Amino acid sequence: MTVFSEAPLRSPRTHARTHVVPIVLGGIAAACAVALVAYLLWPTWGAGGANAPDKLPVSVGGTLFNLPTTAIRMKIQRHSGPQERIDLDFLYPSLEPPGAPKHVTADTVEAAVHSIDRIFLSIAAHHDALSPEQRTATIYPRYLDQAAAQPVDGLTMRMFRADTPYGSEDLYSAASPALTARCTRDAATPGMCLSERRVGGADLTFRFPRSWLSQWHDVAEAMEKLTAQLRGPKG
């Protein structure tokens, strides 16, 4: 007689399932391992690179300044170390560095040109050139009209003669707080003022709208505050 095994016969489907389960489990384990390695090795920086520091130590004319990175107007100047010149701007009156520039369209370009909400600053090595104080004391008086306007709220205005290099400008001065500014007159574009001061081996040149002189005390104090904030430790 033929003897049959008592063990139940397995169907082909059951036999295939017993092989698939270990393969699936092995695949899951391998995927988990790959994910873990990828997580550990994935770079922590984004596509745009590391964030720039809030401030940069910059030496101009051998004088150290700590400058807010976002206040520096030109990308090529946004690095630490010695520089011959650097250009910045600050919102007024907050004196905060400006944010990203706004997109200007044909409809908004006129407003963007005529409404200035910031004070501009250039820091440049002077290489022992005539100081702003010496220029005010010895050069400007040669070109000024002899008639001086009466001080208004402590601020005196004198016109430059028309036949001089500064013929379209006026000179404003005050003693307390100290202010000296050379300003163009309002014409097709609003008048702008230029005020200079020397700090160590660098000359600081501030530029702002002439209309701000109606609150000249605040402007003078803002320039003094910015000078103190940007100056690095004295060597």
Side-chain angles (χ1 to χ4, degrees):
M1 293 179 65
T2 303
V3 179
F4 295 95
S5 172
E6 295 181 358
L9 295 176
R10 297 183 180 180
S11 68
R13 184 177 298 176
T14 303
H15 183 72
R17 191 183 303 130
T18 59
H19 287 80
V20 169
V21 171
I23 294 174
V24 171
L25 293 176
I28 293 174
C32 292
V34 170
L36 178 61
V37 172
Y39 173 77
L40 294 175
L41 297 181
W42 195 263
T44 56
W45 38 264
N51 291 332
D54 292 336
K55 290 190 176 184
L56 291 173
V58 175
S59 174
V60 180
T63 301
L64 181 63
F65 297 89
N66 288 323
L67 306 178
T69 305
T70 54
I72 301 174
R73 300 178 64 195
M74 302 174 64
K75 284 187 176 181
I76 196 172
Q77 297 177 338
R78 291 180 182 175
H79 63 84
S80 59
Q83 296 201 48
E84 184 68 16
R85 174 192 171 108
I86 195 159
D87 300 284
L88 311 100
D89 60 350
F90 298 87
L91 296 175
Y92 182 84
S94 69
L95 303 184
E96 294 292 328
K102 296 179 180 178
H103 179 66
V104 178
T105 65
D107 297 328
T108 61
V109 64
E110 185 173 350
V113 171
H114 290 291
S115 74
I116 300 176
D117 61 352
R118 60 195 64 193
I119 185 168
F120 300 93
L121 170 62
S122 296
I123 305 175
H126 58 67
H127 300 298
D128 296 323
L130 198 68
S131 71
E133 293 78 13
Q134 291 173 318
R135 193 178 303 114
T136 300
T138 63
I139 302 298
Y140 293 160
R142 304 176 189 176
Y143 303 118
L144 287 170
D145 191 295
Q146 295 302 314
Q150 291 295 321
V152 177
D153 192 25
L155 183 65
T156 300
M157 187 273 284
R158 296 187 66 181
M159 298 177 61
F160 286 100
R161 298 194 310 275
D163 59 344
T164 70
Y166 309 106
S168 61
E169 301 179 46
D170 301 315
L171 183 67
Y172 286 86
S173 59
S176 181
L179 173 67
T180 301
R182 212 177 72 227
C183 304
T184 59
R185 297 168 192 147
D186 292 334
T189 57
M192 292 291 291
C193 293
L194 178 153
S195 182
E196 301 171 290
R197 63 187 64 196
R198 178 159 292 183
V199 176
D203 282 347
L204 278 63
T205 303
F206 293 91
R207 292 178 176 82
F208 56 89
R210 178 175 176 142
S211 60
W212 290 4
L213 289 176
S214 58
Q215 292 89 32
W216 71 269
H217 293 87
D218 297 333
V219 176
E221 291 171 358
M223 291 189 291
E224 188 66 30
K225 185 176 180 179
L226 275 176
T227 302
Q229 287 180 348
L230 302 179
R231 180 70 190 274
K234 297 180 181 180

